[in-house]
């Protein structure tokens, strides 16, 4: 079968996402987003053994949701091609740099944005 | 030297250049993948051709057009993928579902006189390749990835970009499927310029956020470049690694 990739199971993702793109291939599959733009959230301290895409520097930090970004598999599942993985909502969250870093030397209005899947966030009141 | 005087002629250069371990392994992996049908030689050629034709020009044109056309700017900020199509970049290519590593979600970050964006991927080197080309070497270094999120003003200053305190900095860490590019503020002195003129001053570094567009500056700041052992050759035979 040299040169023929049609029987390669891993190509399934390609087949499903053709003409749609990724993450668009997952749209409509995660239900209602738990958070809205403007919500204050805290990044949870989940175990991150073997793989995560949630940076250590945002763990436990408080931020504001600035975009309900898209639905997708969480990287923690997608990276291992888990059979039971389900799409979830992703959010772009804004953090104040002076609260993120002890003795931050820039201005109080400097910020950082990064993107996090729903499992990593909890409502903050 | 030995004491006999006839010439053994054993100083001839080897017939081929020495091949590095990386090259040996690259060939081994590629040939095995083709042999096992994971991808074809044709696939490999097409991806190489895709990687050779990408560059920062479409992103610069997107910025220039957004500066001129408020309607297009609204589109760019609302739907980066649709705006990309207007400058000739289809994020679904070359596979029909996008590139596997850049995905199909682009956000254009608008600078204002009081807000400046800069992008990074602290986890690796995620970069909006389809519209901006390949990432610069420094963007992939642990140094830039470690420092820009914590000391952005200091790092930008090293790039020659000193921002006053009334300009807030916003670092965008692309750690998931979104890719980002910066839409800088149109500089003074460009009134009545056409799209071509404007696009020329929007360099790759401006689109990352480590430089601002300036009248008369049409290239990235010149930095030391480490030469490759065997650089990629352009179709004209000219090395591109300069």
């Amino acid at each position: 079968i040299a040169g023929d990739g049609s029987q390669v199971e891993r190509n399934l993702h390609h087949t499903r996402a053709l003409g749609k793109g990724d993450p668009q291939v997952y749209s409509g599959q995660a239900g209602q987003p738990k958070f809205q733009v403007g919500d204050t959230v805290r990044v949870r301290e989940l175990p991150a053994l073997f793989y995560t895409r949630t940076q250590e520097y945002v763990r436990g930090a408080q931020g504001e949701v600035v975009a309900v970004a898209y639905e997708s598999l969480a990287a923690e599942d997608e990276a291992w091609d888990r059979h039971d993985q389900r799409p979830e909502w992703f959010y772009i969250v804004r953090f104040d740099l002076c609260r993120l870093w002890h003795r931050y030397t820039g201005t109080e209005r400097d910020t950082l944005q990064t993107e996090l899947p729903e499992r990593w966030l909890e409502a903050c009141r | 030297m030995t004491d006999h005087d006839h010439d053994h002629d054993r100083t001839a250069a080897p017939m081929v250049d020495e091949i590095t371990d990386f090259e040996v392994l690259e060939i081994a992996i590629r040939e095995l993948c083709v042999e096992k049908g994971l991808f074809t030689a044709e696939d490999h050629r097409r991806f190489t051709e895709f990687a050779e034709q990408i560059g920062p020009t479409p992103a610069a044109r997107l910025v220039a057009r957004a500066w001129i056309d408020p309607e297009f700017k609204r589109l760019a900020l609302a739907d980066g993928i649709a705006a990309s199509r207007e400058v000739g970049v289809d994020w679904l290519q070359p596979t029909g579902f996008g590139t596997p590593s850049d995905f199909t979600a682009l956000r254009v970050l608008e600078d204002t006189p009081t807000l400046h964006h800069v992008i990074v991927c602290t986890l690796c080197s995620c970069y909006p390749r389809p519209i901006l080309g390949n990432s610069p070497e420094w963007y992939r270094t642990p140094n830039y990835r470690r420092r820009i999120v914590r000391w952005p003003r200091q790092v930008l200053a090293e790039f020659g970009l000193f921002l006053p305190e009334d300009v807030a900095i916003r670092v965008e860490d692309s750690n998931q499927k979104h890719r980002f590019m910066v839409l800088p503020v149109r500089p003074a002195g460009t009134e009545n310029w056409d799209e071509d003129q404007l696009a020329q001053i929007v360099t790759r570094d401006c689109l990352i956020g480590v430089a601002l567009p300036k009248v008369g500056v049409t290239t990235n700041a010149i930095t030391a470049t480490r030469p490759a052992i065997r650089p990629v050759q352009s179709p004209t035979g000219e090395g591109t690694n300069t």
Side-chain angles (χ1 to χ4, degrees), chain B residues 1 8 26 34 43 47 49 52 62 88 132 146 154 157 171 173 182 196-197 202 215 221 238:
Chain B
M1 291 301 283
H8 284 284
E26 185 275 322
V34 171
D43 292 335
F47 261 89
E49 287 175 357
E52 281 174 351
L62 186 150
L132 210 50
R146 179 173 63 86
Q154 288 85 339
V171 182
D173 191 348
V182 178
D196 288 343
Q197 288 172 291
V202 185
V215 171
E238 200 182 331

Side-chain angles (χ1 to χ4, degrees), chain A residues 21-36:
Chain A
D22 184 346
Q24 289 82 350
V25 64
Y26 300 110
S27 57
Q29 296 178 30
Q32 283 300 309
K34 190 172 164 190
F35 304 107
Q36 301 302 324

Side-chain angles (χ1 to χ4, degrees), chain B:
Chain B
M1 291 301 283
T2 58
D3 54 4
H4 54 269
D5 56 5
H6 59 277
D7 184 7
H8 284 284
D9 197 23
R10 299 176 82 147
T11 55
M15 293 297 285
V16 291
D17 290 340
E18 190 177 329
I19 308 293
T20 63
D21 290 353
F22 287 117
E23 290 164 295
V24 171
L25 289 171
E26 185 275 322
I27 293 165
I29 291 168
R30 172 162 45 85
E31 293 196 341
L32 279 167
C33 287
V34 171
E35 200 172 304
K36 288 174 175 293
L38 294 182
F39 57 76
T40 65
E42 161 82 2
D43 292 335
H44 188 272
R45 181 181 64 76
R46 287 184 55 197
F47 261 89
T48 306
E49 287 175 357
F50 173 80
E52 281 174 351
Q53 58 83 34
I54 54 177
T57 311
R61 188 150 295 278
L62 186 150
V63 167
R65 198 168 295 177
W67 281 344
I68 289 174
D69 179 354
E71 196 64 35
F72 181 75
K73 181 169 147 184
R74 270 191 287 277
L75 175 69
L77 298 178
D79 187 347
I81 298 292
S84 298
R85 278 196 293 272
E86 304 291 316
V87 293
V89 172
D90 181 354
W91 280 73
L92 288 180
Q93 292 310 318
T95 62
F97 77 104
T99 81
S101 58
D102 308 299
F103 301 100
T104 52
L106 172 71
R107 272 172 84 95
V108 178
L109 308 169
E110 185 189 19
D111 283 356
T112 70
T114 55
L115 178 65
H116 176 80
H117 290 88
V118 59
I119 66 168
V120 63
C121 167
T122 56
L123 300 179
C124 44
S125 58
C126 297
Y127 191 76
R129 292 170 69 246
I131 196 164
L132 210 50
N134 290 308
S135 61
E137 184 183 349
W138 55 259
Y139 182 89
R140 308 171 201 165
T141 59
N143 185 320
Y144 178 74
R145 290 156 47 197
R146 179 173 63 86
R147 295 198 302 142
I148 190 75
V149 292
R150 185 165 183 175
W151 298 281
R153 288 181 184 269
Q154 288 85 339
V155 173
L156 293 180
E158 289 170 20
F159 278 95
L161 178 55
F162 299 89
L163 292 169
E165 299 236 319
D166 57 353
V167 178
I169 289 179
R170 181 166 296 156
V171 182
E172 189 82 47
D173 191 348
S174 39
N175 65 328
Q176 305 276 1
K177 292 185 176 177
H178 258 126
R179 298 293 176 266
F180 304 91
M181 59 170 273
V182 178
L183 169 57
V185 176
R186 180 172 174 170
T190 58
E191 298 76 17
N192 306 320
W193 280 27
D194 66 19
E195 194 179 302
D196 288 343
Q197 288 172 291
L198 290 169
Q200 278 179 18
I201 60 168
V202 185
T203 62
R204 177 201 70 197
D205 286 357
C206 299
L207 298 156
I208 296 172
V210 297
L212 294 178
K214 274 200 194 92
V215 171
V217 177
T218 55
T219 57
N220 296 312
I222 296 181
T223 54
T225 304
R226 294 193 300 168
I229 295 171
R230 259 178 286 286
V232 174
Q233 299 292 313
S234 75
T236 58
E238 200 182 331
T240 54
N241 201 309
T242 51

